Amino acid sequence: MVDVPRRALARPRSLAPEQFAAEAITRATGRIPVRAWVLWETGTEELLDAVATAWTSRAVLVAWGAPPHQHEAWVWAGAVTRVAPPATPSAPRPGQRNAPVEGRRPGR
């Protein structure tokens, strides 16, 4: 319960533009799920689920949270790990049969 107010009121620390902006910034065209280490103004470091919205070879702009507590911060690229999107069940393609259920004979 103590953590919730800290997250709601604290602000993340972001890298200064001088630290990463010497290179071209690439903007994401979709949501890229990542895990990122973020440093809060209180000095607390936290590993968060986020999305990458832009990057250079040295830094990544990550965004996380839900309204009204949305945040974004530039963090070093080494503090970010790309996460595979959740798997979606695959539907059979037209003309493809489902795999037989164990213990049942096909066609019955």
Coordinates of all heavy atoms in Angstrom, one line a residue:
M1 N 0.8 -1.2 0.0 CA 0.0 0.0 0.0 C 0.9 1.3 0.0 O 0.5 2.2 -0.6 CB -0.9 -0.1 1.2 CG -1.9 1.1 1.3 SD -3.2 0.7 0.0 CE -4.2 2.1 0.4
V2 N 2.0 1.2 0.6 CA 2.9 2.4 0.7 C 3.5 2.7 -0.7 O 3.7 3.8 -1.1 CB 4.0 2.1 1.7 CG1 5.0 3.3 1.7 CG2 3.5 2.0 3.1
D3 N 3.7 1.7 -1.5 CA 4.3 1.9 -2.9 C 3.4 2.6 -3.8 O 3.8 3.3 -4.7 CB 4.6 0.5 -3.5 CG 6.1 0.2 -3.5 OD1 6.9 1.0 -2.9 OD2 6.5 -0.8 -4.1
V4 N 2.1 2.5 -3.7 CA 1.1 3.1 -4.6 C 1.2 4.6 -4.6 O 1.4 5.2 -5.7 CB -0.3 2.6 -4.4 CG1 -1.3 3.4 -5.3 CG2 -0.4 1.1 -4.6
P5 N 1.2 5.3 -3.5 CA 1.3 6.7 -3.5 C 2.7 7.2 -4.0 O 2.8 8.2 -4.7 CB 1.2 7.1 -2.0 CG 0.4 6.0 -1.4 CD 0.8 4.8 -2.1
R6 N 3.8 6.4 -3.8 CA 5.1 6.8 -4.3 C 5.0 6.8 -5.8 O 5.5 7.8 -6.5 CB 6.2 5.9 -3.8 CG 7.5 6.2 -4.4 CD 8.6 5.2 -4.2 NE 8.3 3.9 -4.8 CZ 8.4 3.7 -6.1 NH1 8.9 4.6 -7.0 NH2 8.1 2.5 -6.6
R7 N 4.5 5.8 -6.4 CA 4.4 5.7 -7.9 C 3.5 6.8 -8.4 O 3.8 7.4 -9.5 CB 3.9 4.4 -8.3 CG 4.9 3.3 -8.1 CD 4.4 2.0 -8.7 NE 5.2 0.9 -8.3 CZ 4.9 -0.3 -8.7 NH1 3.9 -0.6 -9.4 NH2 5.7 -1.3 -8.3
A8 N 2.5 7.1 -7.8 CA 1.5 8.1 -8.3 C 2.1 9.5 -8.2 O 1.8 10.3 -9.1 CB 0.2 8.0 -7.5
L9 N 2.9 9.8 -7.2 CA 3.4 11.1 -7.0 C 4.8 11.4 -7.5 O 5.1 12.5 -7.9 CB 3.3 11.5 -5.5 CG 1.9 11.5 -4.9 CD1 2.0 11.7 -3.4 CD2 1.0 12.5 -5.6
A10 N 5.6 10.3 -7.5 CA 7.0 10.5 -8.0 C 7.1 10.6 -9.5 O 6.2 10.2 -10.2 CB 7.8 9.3 -7.5
R11 N 8.2 11.2 -9.9 CA 8.4 11.3 -11.4 C 9.7 10.5 -11.7 O 10.6 10.5 -10.9 CB 8.6 12.8 -11.7 CG 7.4 13.6 -11.4 CD 7.6 15.1 -11.8 NE 8.0 15.3 -13.1 CZ 7.2 15.4 -14.2 NH1 5.9 15.3 -14.0 NH2 7.7 15.7 -15.4
P12 N 9.7 9.9 -12.9 CA 10.9 9.2 -13.3 C 12.0 10.2 -13.7 O 11.7 11.3 -14.2 CB 10.4 8.4 -14.5 CG 9.3 9.1 -15.0 CD 8.7 9.8 -13.9
R13 N 13.3 9.8 -13.6 CA 14.4 10.6 -14.1 C 14.6 10.1 -15.5 O 14.6 9.0 -15.9 CB 15.6 10.3 -13.3 CG 15.6 10.9 -11.9 CD 17.0 10.8 -11.3 NE 16.9 11.3 -9.9 CZ 17.9 11.2 -9.1 NH1 19.0 10.5 -9.4 NH2 17.8 11.6 -7.9
S14 N 14.8 11.1 -16.4 CA 15.0 10.8 -17.8 C 16.4 11.3 -18.2 O 16.9 12.3 -17.6 CB 14.0 11.6 -18.6 OG 14.1 11.2 -20.0
L15 N 17.1 10.7 -19.1 CA 18.4 11.2 -19.6 C 18.2 12.5 -20.2 O 17.1 12.9 -20.8 CB 18.9 10.2 -20.7 CG 19.2 8.8 -20.2 CD1 19.6 7.9 -21.4 CD2 20.3 8.8 -19.2
A16 N 19.2 13.3 -20.1 CA 19.2 14.7 -20.8 C 19.4 14.5 -22.3 O 20.2 13.6 -22.7 CB 20.3 15.5 -20.1
P17 N 18.9 15.3 -23.1 CA 19.1 15.2 -24.5 C 20.5 15.2 -24.9 O 20.9 14.5 -25.9 CB 18.4 16.5 -25.1 CG 17.3 16.8 -24.1 CD 17.9 16.4 -22.8
E18 N 21.4 15.9 -24.2 CA 22.8 15.9 -24.5 C 23.4 14.5 -24.4 O 24.5 14.3 -25.0 CB 23.6 16.9 -23.6 CG 23.1 18.3 -23.6 CD 21.9 18.5 -22.7 OE1 21.8 18.0 -21.6 OE2 21.0 19.3 -23.1
Q19 N 22.8 13.6 -23.6 CA 23.4 12.3 -23.4 C 23.1 11.3 -24.6 O 23.7 10.3 -24.7 CB 22.8 11.7 -22.1 CG 23.3 12.5 -20.9 CD 22.7 11.9 -19.6 OE1 21.5 12.1 -19.4 NE2 23.5 11.4 -18.8
F20 N 22.0 11.6 -25.4 CA 21.7 10.7 -26.4 C 21.3 11.3 -27.8 O 21.3 10.6 -28.8 CB 20.5 9.8 -26.0 CG 19.2 10.6 -25.8 CD1 18.4 10.8 -26.8 CD2 18.9 11.1 -24.5 CE1 17.2 11.6 -26.6 CE2 17.8 11.8 -24.3 CZ 16.9 12.1 -25.4
A21 N 21.1 12.6 -27.8 CA 20.5 13.2 -29.0 C 21.5 13.5 -30.1 O 21.1 14.2 -31.1 CB 19.6 14.4 -28.6
A22 N 22.7 13.2 -30.0 CA 23.7 13.5 -31.0 C 23.5 12.6 -32.3 O 24.0 12.9 -33.3 CB 25.1 13.2 -30.5
E23 N 22.6 11.6 -32.1 CA 22.3 10.7 -33.2 C 20.8 10.9 -33.6 O 20.0 11.5 -32.9 CB 22.4 9.3 -32.8 CG 23.8 8.9 -32.2 CD 23.8 7.5 -31.7 OE1 23.0 6.7 -32.1 OE2 24.6 7.3 -30.8
A24 N 20.4 10.4 -34.8 CA 19.1 10.4 -35.2 C 18.2 9.6 -34.3 O 18.6 8.5 -33.9 CB 19.0 9.9 -36.7
I25 N 17.0 10.1 -34.1 CA 16.0 9.4 -33.2 C 15.0 8.6 -34.1 O 14.5 9.2 -35.1 CB 15.2 10.3 -32.3 CG1 16.2 11.0 -31.3 CG2 14.1 9.6 -31.6 CD1 15.6 12.1 -30.5
T26 N 14.9 7.3 -33.9 CA 13.9 6.5 -34.6 C 12.7 6.4 -33.8 O 12.7 6.1 -32.7 CB 14.5 5.1 -34.9 OG1 15.7 5.2 -35.6 CG2 13.5 4.2 -35.7
R27 N 11.5 6.7 -34.5 CA 10.2 6.6 -33.8 C 9.6 5.3 -34.1 O 9.6 4.8 -35.3 CB 9.3 7.7 -34.2 CG 9.8 9.1 -34.0 CD 9.6 9.5 -32.6 NE 10.3 10.8 -32.3 CZ 10.4 11.2 -31.1 NH1 10.0 10.6 -30.0 NH2 11.1 12.4 -30.9
A28 N 9.0 4.6 -33.1 CA 8.3 3.3 -33.3 C 7.0 3.6 -34.1 O 6.3 4.6 -33.9 CB 8.0 2.7 -32.0
T29 N 6.6 2.6 -34.9 CA 5.4 2.7 -35.7 C 4.3 1.9 -35.0 O 3.1 2.0 -35.3 CB 5.5 2.1 -37.1 OG1 6.0 0.8 -37.0 CG2 6.5 3.0 -37.9
G30 N 4.6 1.1 -34.0 CA 3.7 0.3 -33.2 C 4.1 0.2 -31.8 O 5.1 0.8 -31.4
R31 N 3.4 -0.6 -31.0 CA 3.8 -0.8 -29.6 C 4.8 -1.9 -29.5 O 4.6 -3.0 -29.9 CB 2.5 -1.1 -28.8 CG 1.5 0.0 -28.8 CD 0.3 -0.4 -28.0 NE 0.5 -0.8 -26.6 CZ 0.6 0.1 -25.6 NH1 0.4 1.4 -25.9 NH2 0.8 -0.3 -24.4
I32 N 6.0 -1.6 -28.9 CA 7.0 -2.6 -28.8 C 7.2 -2.9 -27.3 O 7.7 -2.0 -26.5 CB 8.4 -2.1 -29.4 CG1 8.2 -1.7 -30.8 CG2 9.5 -3.1 -29.1 CD1 9.4 -1.1 -31.5
P33 N 6.7 -4.0 -26.8 CA 6.8 -4.3 -25.4 C 8.2 -4.6 -24.9 O 9.0 -5.2 -25.6 CB 5.9 -5.6 -25.2 CG 5.7 -6.1 -26.6 CD 6.0 -5.1 -27.6
V34 N 8.5 -4.0 -23.8 CA 9.9 -4.1 -23.2 C 9.8 -4.2 -21.7 O 8.7 -3.9 -21.1 CB 10.7 -2.8 -23.6 CG1 11.0 -2.8 -25.1 CG2 10.2 -1.5 -23.1
R35 N 10.9 -4.6 -21.1 CA 11.1 -4.4 -19.6 C 12.2 -3.4 -19.5 O 13.3 -3.6 -20.2 CB 11.5 -5.8 -19.0 CG 10.5 -6.9 -19.2 CD 9.5 -7.0 -18.1 NE 10.1 -7.4 -16.9 CZ 9.6 -7.2 -15.7 NH1 8.4 -6.6 -15.5 NH2 10.2 -7.6 -14.6
A36 N 12.1 -2.5 -18.7 CA 13.1 -1.4 -18.5 C 13.3 -1.0 -17.1 O 12.4 -1.0 -16.3 CB 12.6 -0.2 -19.3
W37 N 14.6 -0.8 -16.8 CA 15.0 -0.3 -15.5 C 14.8 1.2 -15.5 O 15.4 1.9 -16.3 CB 16.4 -0.7 -15.2 CG 16.6 -2.1 -14.7 CD1 17.0 -3.1 -15.5 CD2 16.3 -2.6 -13.4 NE1 17.0 -4.3 -14.7 CE2 16.6 -4.0 -13.5 CE3 15.8 -2.1 -12.3 CZ2 16.4 -4.8 -12.4 CZ3 15.6 -2.9 -11.2 CH2 15.9 -4.3 -11.2
V38 N 14.0 1.7 -14.6 CA 13.8 3.2 -14.5 C 14.2 3.7 -13.2 O 14.0 3.0 -12.2 CB 12.3 3.4 -14.7 CG1 11.9 4.9 -14.5 CG2 11.8 3.0 -16.1
L39 N 14.8 4.8 -13.2 CA 15.3 5.5 -12.0 C 14.3 6.6 -11.6 O 14.0 7.5 -12.4 CB 16.7 6.1 -12.1 CG 17.3 6.8 -11.0 CD1 17.5 5.9 -9.8 CD2 18.6 7.5 -11.4
W40 N 13.7 6.5 -10.4 CA 12.8 7.5 -10.0 C 13.5 8.7 -9.3 O 14.7 8.5 -8.9 CB 11.8 6.9 -9.0 CG 10.9 5.9 -9.7 CD1 11.1 4.6 -9.8 CD2 9.6 6.2 -10.3 NE1 10.1 4.0 -10.5 CE2 9.1 5.0 -10.8 CE3 8.9 7.3 -10.5 CZ2 7.9 4.8 -11.5 CZ3 7.7 7.2 -11.2 CH2 7.2 6.0 -11.7
E41 N 12.9 9.8 -9.2 CA 13.5 11.0 -8.6 C 13.9 10.8 -7.1 O 14.7 11.4 -6.6 CB 12.6 12.2 -8.7 CG 11.3 12.1 -7.9 CD 10.3 13.2 -8.1 OE1 10.6 14.2 -8.9 OE2 9.2 13.2 -7.5
T42 N 13.3 9.8 -6.5 CA 13.6 9.4 -5.1 C 14.9 8.6 -5.0 O 15.3 8.3 -3.9 CB 12.4 8.6 -4.5 OG1 12.3 7.4 -5.3 CG2 11.2 9.4 -4.5
G43 N 15.4 8.2 -6.2 CA 16.6 7.4 -6.2 C 16.3 5.9 -6.3 O 17.2 5.1 -6.4
T44 N 15.1 5.5 -6.2 CA 14.7 4.1 -6.3 C 14.7 3.6 -7.8 O 14.3 4.3 -8.7 CB 13.2 3.9 -5.8 OG1 13.1 4.4 -4.5 CG2 12.8 2.5 -5.9
E45 N 15.3 2.5 -8.0 CA 15.4 1.9 -9.3 C 14.3 0.8 -9.4 O 14.1 0.1 -8.4 CB 16.7 1.2 -9.6 CG 17.8 2.3 -9.7 CD 19.2 1.6 -9.8 OE1 19.3 0.5 -9.4 OE2 20.1 2.3 -10.3
E46 N 13.6 0.7 -10.5 CA 12.5 -0.3 -10.6 C 12.4 -0.9 -12.0 O 12.6 -0.2 -13.0 CB 11.2 0.5 -10.3 CG 10.0 -0.4 -10.2 CD 8.7 0.3 -9.8 OE1 8.7 1.6 -9.7 OE2 7.8 -0.3 -9.5
L47 N 12.3 -2.2 -12.1 CA 12.1 -2.9 -13.4 C 10.6 -2.9 -13.7 O 9.8 -3.4 -13.0 CB 12.6 -4.3 -13.2 CG 12.6 -5.1 -14.5 CD1 13.4 -4.5 -15.6 CD2 13.1 -6.6 -14.2
L48 N 10.3 -2.3 -14.9 CA 8.9 -2.1 -15.2 C 8.6 -2.7 -16.6 O 9.4 -2.8 -17.5 CB 8.6 -0.6 -15.3 CG 8.8 0.3 -14.1 CD1 8.7 1.7 -14.5 CD2 7.7 -0.1 -13.1
D49 N 7.3 -3.1 -16.8 CA 6.8 -3.4 -18.1 C 6.4 -2.1 -18.7 O 5.8 -1.3 -18.2 CB 5.5 -4.3 -18.0 CG 5.8 -5.7 -17.4 OD1 6.8 -6.2 -17.8 OD2 5.1 -6.2 -16.6
A50 N 6.9 -1.9 -20.0 CA 6.7 -0.6 -20.7 C 6.6 -0.9 -22.2 O 6.7 -2.1 -22.6 CB 7.8 0.3 -20.4
V51 N 6.5 0.2 -22.9 CA 6.6 0.1 -24.4 C 7.7 1.1 -24.8 O 7.8 2.1 -24.3 CB 5.3 0.4 -25.1 CG1 4.3 -0.7 -24.8 CG2 4.7 1.7 -24.7
A52 N 8.4 0.6 -25.8 CA 9.4 1.5 -26.4 C 8.8 2.4 -27.5 O 8.0 1.8 -28.4 CB 10.6 0.7 -27.0
T53 N 8.9 3.7 -27.4 CA 8.3 4.5 -28.4 C 9.3 5.2 -29.4 O 8.9 5.7 -30.4 CB 7.4 5.6 -27.7 OG1 8.2 6.4 -26.9 CG2 6.3 4.9 -26.9
A54 N 10.6 5.3 -29.0 CA 11.6 5.9 -29.8 C 13.0 5.4 -29.3 O 13.0 4.9 -28.2 CB 11.6 7.4 -29.7
W55 N 14.0 5.5 -30.1 CA 15.3 5.1 -29.7 C 16.4 5.6 -30.5 O 16.2 6.1 -31.6 CB 15.4 3.5 -29.7 CG 15.2 2.9 -31.0 CD1 16.1 2.7 -32.0 CD2 13.9 2.5 -31.5 NE1 15.5 2.1 -33.1 CE2 14.1 2.0 -32.8 CE3 12.6 2.4 -31.0 CZ2 13.1 1.5 -33.6 CZ3 11.6 1.9 -31.8 CH2 11.9 1.4 -33.0
T56 N 17.6 5.6 -30.0 CA 18.9 5.9 -30.7 C 19.7 4.6 -30.4 O 19.2 3.7 -29.8 CB 19.6 7.1 -30.2 OG1 20.1 6.8 -28.9 CG2 18.7 8.3 -30.2
S57 N 20.9 4.6 -30.9 CA 21.8 3.4 -30.6 C 22.2 3.4 -29.1 O 22.6 2.3 -28.6 CB 23.0 3.4 -31.5 OG 23.8 4.5 -31.2
R58 N 22.0 4.5 -28.4 CA 22.5 4.6 -27.0 C 21.3 4.6 -26.0 O 21.5 4.3 -24.8 CB 23.3 5.8 -26.8 CG 24.6 5.8 -27.7 CD 25.4 7.0 -27.5 NE 25.7 7.1 -26.0 CZ 26.5 8.1 -25.5 NH1 26.9 9.1 -26.3 NH2 26.8 8.1 -24.3
A59 N 20.1 5.0 -26.4 CA 19.0 5.3 -25.4 C 17.7 4.9 -26.0 O 17.5 4.8 -27.3 CB 19.0 6.7 -25.0
V60 N 16.7 4.6 -25.1 CA 15.4 4.2 -25.5 C 14.4 5.1 -24.8 O 14.5 5.3 -23.6 CB 15.1 2.7 -25.3 CG1 13.7 2.3 -25.7 CG2 16.1 1.9 -25.9
L61 N 13.3 5.6 -25.5 CA 12.3 6.3 -24.8 C 11.2 5.3 -24.5 O 10.6 4.6 -25.4 CB 11.7 7.4 -25.7 CG 10.5 8.2 -25.1 CD1 10.9 8.9 -23.8 CD2 10.0 9.2 -26.2
V62 N 10.9 5.0 -23.2 CA 10.0 4.1 -22.7 C 8.8 4.8 -22.1 O 8.9 5.8 -21.5 CB 10.6 3.0 -21.8 CG1 11.6 2.2 -22.5 CG2 11.1 3.7 -20.5
A63 N 7.6 4.2 -22.3 CA 6.4 4.7 -21.7 C 5.6 3.6 -20.9 O 5.7 2.4 -21.3 CB 5.5 5.3 -22.8
W64 N 5.0 4.0 -19.8 CA 4.3 3.0 -19.0 C 3.2 3.7 -18.2 O 3.2 4.9 -18.1 CB 5.2 2.2 -18.1 CG 5.8 3.0 -17.0 CD1 5.4 3.1 -15.7 CD2 7.0 3.9 -17.1 NE1 6.2 4.0 -15.0 CE2 7.2 4.5 -15.9 CE3 7.8 4.3 -18.2 CZ2 8.2 5.4 -15.6 CZ3 8.8 5.2 -17.9 CH2 9.0 5.7 -16.6
G65 N 2.4 2.9 -17.6 CA 1.4 3.4 -16.7 C 0.0 3.5 -17.3 O -0.2 3.0 -18.5
A66 N -1.0 4.0 -16.6 CA -2.3 4.1 -17.0 C -2.9 5.4 -16.6 O -2.5 5.9 -15.5 CB -3.2 3.0 -16.5
P67 N -3.8 6.0 -17.3 CA -4.3 7.3 -16.9 C -4.9 7.3 -15.5 O -5.5 6.3 -15.2 CB -5.4 7.6 -17.9 CG -5.1 6.7 -19.1 CD -4.4 5.5 -18.6
P68 N -4.6 8.2 -14.7 CA -3.9 9.5 -15.0 C -2.5 9.5 -14.7 O -1.8 10.5 -14.6 CB -4.7 10.5 -14.1 CG -5.0 9.6 -12.9 CD -5.3 8.3 -13.4
H69 N -1.9 8.3 -14.5 CA -0.5 8.2 -14.0 C 0.3 7.6 -15.1 O 0.9 6.5 -15.0 CB -0.4 7.3 -12.8 CG -1.2 7.9 -11.7 ND1 -0.9 9.1 -11.0 CD2 -2.4 7.5 -11.1 CE1 -1.9 9.3 -10.1 NE2 -2.7 8.4 -10.1
Q70 N 0.4 8.2 -16.3 CA 1.3 7.8 -17.4 C 2.6 8.5 -17.3 O 2.7 9.7 -17.0 CB 0.6 8.1 -18.7 CG -0.7 7.2 -18.9 CD -1.4 7.6 -20.1 OE1 -1.9 8.8 -20.3 NE2 -1.5 6.7 -21.1
H71 N 3.7 7.7 -17.6 CA 5.0 8.3 -17.5 C 5.8 7.9 -18.8 O 5.4 6.9 -19.5 CB 5.8 7.7 -16.3 CG 5.1 8.0 -15.0 ND1 5.2 9.2 -14.4 CD2 4.4 7.2 -14.2 CE1 4.6 9.2 -13.3 NE2 4.1 8.0 -13.1
E72 N 6.8 8.6 -19.1 CA 7.8 8.3 -20.1 C 9.1 8.8 -19.7 O 9.2 9.9 -19.0 CB 7.4 8.7 -21.5 CG 7.4 10.2 -21.8 CD 7.1 10.5 -23.2 OE1 6.7 9.6 -24.0 OE2 7.3 11.6 -23.6
A73 N 10.2 8.1 -20.1 CA 11.5 8.6 -19.8 C 12.5 8.0 -20.8 O 12.3 6.8 -21.3 CB 11.9 8.1 -18.4
W74 N 13.6 8.7 -21.1 CA 14.7 8.2 -21.8 C 15.6 7.4 -20.9 O 16.0 8.0 -19.8 CB 15.5 9.3 -22.5 CG 14.8 9.9 -23.7 CD1 14.0 11.0 -23.8 CD2 14.9 9.3 -25.1 NE1 13.6 11.1 -25.1 CE2 14.1 10.1 -25.9 CE3 15.5 8.2 -25.6 CZ2 14.0 9.9 -27.3 CZ3 15.4 8.0 -27.0 CH2 14.7 8.8 -27.8
V75 N 15.9 6.2 -21.2 CA 16.8 5.4 -20.4 C 17.9 4.8 -21.3 O 17.7 4.8 -22.5 CB 16.1 4.3 -19.6 CG1 15.1 4.8 -18.7 CG2 15.4 3.3 -20.6
W76 N 19.0 4.4 -20.7 CA 20.1 3.8 -21.5 C 19.6 2.6 -22.2 O 18.9 1.8 -21.6 CB 21.3 3.6 -20.6 CG 22.0 4.8 -20.1 CD1 22.1 5.2 -18.8 CD2 22.6 5.8 -20.9 NE1 22.8 6.4 -18.7 CE2 23.1 6.8 -20.0 CE3 22.8 6.0 -22.3 CZ2 23.7 8.0 -20.4 CZ3 23.5 7.2 -22.7 CH2 23.9 8.1 -21.8
A77 N 20.1 2.3 -23.4 CA 19.6 1.1 -24.1 C 20.0 -0.2 -23.4 O 19.2 -1.1 -23.4 CB 20.3 1.1 -25.5
G78 N 21.0 -0.2 -22.6 CA 21.4 -1.4 -21.8 C 20.4 -1.7 -20.7 O 20.4 -2.8 -20.1
A79 N 19.6 -0.7 -20.4 CA 18.6 -0.9 -19.3 C 17.2 -1.5 -19.8 O 16.3 -1.6 -19.1 CB 18.3 0.4 -18.6
V80 N 17.2 -1.8 -21.1 CA 15.9 -2.2 -21.8 C 16.1 -3.5 -22.4 O 17.1 -3.8 -23.1 CB 15.5 -1.1 -22.8 CG1 14.2 -1.6 -23.5 CG2 15.4 0.2 -22.2
T81 N 15.1 -4.4 -22.2 CA 15.1 -5.7 -22.8 C 13.7 -5.9 -23.6 O 12.7 -5.6 -23.0 CB 15.2 -6.9 -21.8 OG1 16.3 -6.7 -21.0 CG2 15.2 -8.2 -22.4
R82 N 13.8 -6.2 -24.8 CA 12.6 -6.4 -25.6 C 11.9 -7.7 -25.1 O 12.5 -8.7 -24.8 CB 12.9 -6.6 -27.1 CG 11.8 -6.4 -28.0 CD 12.2 -6.3 -29.4 NE 11.0 -6.1 -30.2 CZ 11.1 -5.6 -31.4 NH1 12.2 -5.2 -32.0 NH2 10.0 -5.4 -32.1
V83 N 10.6 -7.6 -25.1 CA 9.7 -8.8 -24.6 C 8.9 -9.3 -25.7 O 8.3 -8.4 -26.5 CB 8.8 -8.3 -23.4 CG1 7.9 -9.4 -23.0 CG2 9.7 -7.8 -22.3
A84 N 8.8 -10.6 -25.9 CA 7.9 -11.1 -26.9 C 6.5 -10.8 -26.6 O 6.1 -10.9 -25.4 CB 8.1 -12.6 -27.0
P85 N 5.7 -10.4 -27.6 CA 4.2 -10.2 -27.3 C 3.6 -11.5 -26.8 O 4.0 -12.6 -27.2 CB 3.7 -9.7 -28.6 CG 4.7 -10.1 -29.7 CD 6.0 -10.3 -29.0
P86 N 2.5 -11.4 -26.1 CA 1.8 -12.6 -25.6 C 1.3 -13.4 -26.8 O 0.9 -12.9 -27.8 CB 0.6 -12.0 -24.8 CG 0.7 -10.6 -24.9 CD 1.8 -10.1 -25.7
A87 N 1.5 -14.7 -26.6 CA 1.1 -15.6 -27.7 C -0.4 -15.6 -27.8 O -1.2 -15.6 -26.9 CB 1.6 -17.0 -27.4
T88 N -0.9 -15.7 -29.1 CA -2.3 -15.8 -29.3 C -2.6 -17.2 -29.9 O -1.8 -17.7 -30.7 CB -2.8 -14.7 -30.4 OG1 -2.0 -14.9 -31.6 CG2 -2.6 -13.3 -29.8
P89 N -3.7 -17.8 -29.5 CA -3.9 -19.1 -30.0 C -4.2 -19.0 -31.5 O -4.8 -18.1 -32.0 CB -5.2 -19.5 -29.3 CG -5.7 -18.3 -28.6 CD -4.7 -17.3 -28.6
S90 N -3.6 -20.0 -32.2 CA -3.7 -20.0 -33.7 C -4.9 -20.8 -34.1 O -5.2 -21.9 -33.6 CB -2.4 -20.6 -34.3 OG -2.2 -21.9 -33.9
A91 N -5.7 -20.2 -34.9 CA -6.9 -20.9 -35.5 C -6.4 -21.7 -36.7 O -5.5 -21.4 -37.4 CB -7.9 -19.9 -35.9
P92 N -7.1 -22.8 -36.9 CA -6.7 -23.6 -38.1 C -7.0 -22.8 -39.4 O -8.0 -22.1 -39.5 CB -7.6 -24.9 -38.0 CG -8.7 -24.6 -37.0 CD -8.2 -23.4 -36.2
R93 N -6.1 -23.0 -40.4 CA -6.3 -22.3 -41.6 C -7.4 -23.1 -42.4 O -7.7 -24.2 -42.2 CB -5.0 -22.4 -42.4 CG -4.0 -21.5 -41.8 CD -2.7 -21.5 -42.7 NE -2.1 -22.9 -42.6 CZ -1.0 -23.1 -42.0 NH1 -0.3 -22.2 -41.5 NH2 -0.5 -24.3 -42.0
P94 N -8.1 -22.4 -43.3 CA -9.1 -23.1 -44.1 C -8.5 -24.3 -44.8 O -7.4 -24.3 -45.3 CB -9.5 -22.0 -45.2 CG -9.1 -20.7 -44.6 CD -7.9 -21.0 -43.7
G95 N -9.3 -25.4 -44.7 CA -8.8 -26.7 -45.3 C -7.9 -27.5 -44.4 O -7.5 -28.6 -44.7
Q96 N -7.5 -26.9 -43.2 CA -6.6 -27.6 -42.3 C -7.5 -28.3 -41.2 O -8.3 -27.7 -40.7 CB -5.6 -26.6 -41.7 CG -4.7 -27.3 -40.7 CD -3.8 -26.2 -40.0 OE1 -4.0 -25.0 -40.1 NE2 -2.8 -26.7 -39.3
R97 N -7.2 -29.5 -40.9 CA -7.9 -30.2 -39.9 C -7.3 -30.0 -38.5 O -6.1 -29.8 -38.4 CB -7.9 -31.8 -40.2 CG -8.7 -32.2 -41.3 CD -8.7 -33.6 -41.4 NE -9.7 -34.0 -42.3 CZ -10.1 -35.3 -42.5 NH1 -9.5 -36.2 -41.8 NH2 -11.0 -35.6 -43.4
N98 N -8.1 -30.0 -37.5 CA -7.6 -29.9 -36.2 C -6.9 -31.2 -35.8 O -7.2 -32.3 -36.3 CB -8.7 -29.7 -35.2 CG -9.4 -28.3 -35.3 OD1 -8.7 -27.4 -35.8 ND2 -10.6 -28.2 -34.9
A99 N -5.9 -31.1 -34.9 CA -5.2 -32.3 -34.5 C -6.2 -33.2 -33.8 O -7.1 -32.8 -33.0 CB -4.1 -31.9 -33.6
P100 N -6.1 -34.6 -34.0 CA -7.0 -35.5 -33.3 C -6.9 -35.4 -31.8 O -5.8 -35.2 -31.2 CB -6.7 -36.8 -33.8 CG -5.3 -36.7 -34.4 CD -5.1 -35.2 -34.8
V101 N -8.0 -35.5 -31.1 CA -8.0 -35.5 -29.6 C -7.5 -36.9 -29.2 O -8.0 -37.9 -29.7 CB -9.4 -35.2 -29.0 CG1 -9.4 -35.3 -27.5 CG2 -9.8 -33.9 -29.5
E102 N -6.6 -37.0 -28.2 CA -6.1 -38.2 -27.8 C -7.2 -39.1 -27.2 O -8.0 -38.7 -26.5 CB -5.0 -38.0 -26.7 CG -4.1 -39.1 -26.4 CD -3.0 -38.8 -25.5 OE1 -2.4 -37.7 -25.7 OE2 -2.7 -39.6 -24.6
G103 N -7.2 -40.4 -27.6 CA -8.2 -41.3 -27.1 C -9.4 -41.4 -28.1 O -10.2 -42.3 -27.9
R104 N -9.4 -40.6 -29.1 CA -10.6 -40.6 -30.0 C -10.0 -40.9 -31.4 O -9.0 -40.5 -31.8 CB -11.3 -39.3 -30.1 CG -12.0 -39.0 -28.8 CD -12.8 -37.7 -28.9 NE -13.7 -37.7 -30.0 CZ -14.3 -36.6 -30.5 NH1 -14.0 -35.4 -29.9 NH2 -15.1 -36.6 -31.5
R105 N -10.7 -41.7 -32.1 CA -10.3 -42.0 -33.5 C -10.9 -40.9 -34.4 O -12.0 -40.4 -34.2 CB -10.9 -43.4 -33.9 CG -10.3 -44.5 -33.1 CD -10.5 -45.9 -33.6 NE -11.6 -46.0 -34.5 CZ -12.4 -47.1 -34.6 NH1 -12.3 -48.0 -33.7 NH2 -13.3 -47.2 -35.5
P106 N -10.1 -40.5 -35.4 CA -10.5 -39.5 -36.3 C -11.8 -39.9 -37.0 O -12.1 -41.1 -37.3 CB -9.4 -39.4 -37.4 CG -8.2 -40.0 -36.7 CD -8.7 -41.0 -35.7
G107 N -12.7 -38.9 -37.2 CA -13.9 -39.2 -37.9 C -15.1 -39.7 -37.0 O -16.1 -40.0 -37.5
R108 N -14.9 -39.7 -35.7 CA -15.9 -40.2 -34.8 C -16.2 -39.1 -33.8 O -15.5 -38.4 -33.3 CB -15.5 -41.4 -34.1 CG -15.3 -42.5 -35.1 CD -15.6 -43.8 -34.5 NE -15.5 -44.8 -35.6 CZ -15.7 -46.0 -35.5 NH1 -16.1 -46.5 -34.3 NH2 -15.6 -46.8 -36.5

